[in-house]
């Protein structure tokens, strides 16, 4: 699943989001790209749970998941 995080502006932001999701949901693989503002999560499909983790990390997911 992929979604936008418009306030992810740099590599540090991307790393924070990646670590937050992968630590909370072991077995997931996260790619966070600050240039495209896209976060892709593999291995877990509950967007509401992932959205909550990203918000808890201090960022704002801006859209529902896009089809992967």
């Amino acid at each position: 699943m992929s979604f936008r995080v418009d306030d992810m502006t740099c590599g540090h932001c991307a790393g924070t989001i990646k670590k937050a999701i992968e630590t909370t949901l072991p077995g997931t693989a996260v790619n966070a790209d600050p240039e495209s503002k896209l976060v892709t999560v593999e291995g877990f499909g509950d967007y509401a749970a992932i959205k909550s983790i990203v918000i808890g990390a201090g960022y704002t997911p801006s859209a529902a998941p896009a089809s992967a």
Side-chain angles (χ1 to χ4, degrees):
M1 119 182 27
S2 296
F3 54 93
R4 289 184 60 85
V5 180
D6 287 325
D7 52 357
M8 174 177 58
T9 58
C10 65
H12 179 264
C13 298
T16 299
I17 292 168
K18 176 179 173 68
K19 181 178 179 182
I21 296 170
E22 290 180 346
T23 300
T24 306
L25 301 171
T28 56
V30 178
N31 180 32
D33 180 14
E35 284 190 33
S36 68
K37 310 285 189 198
L38 288 178
V39 176
T40 302
V41 180
E42 295 179 11
F44 191 79
D46 183 349
Y47 175 67
I50 293 170
K51 178 180 177 181
S52 177
I53 294 164
V54 173
I55 290 170
Y59 298 91
T60 310
S62 63
S67 300

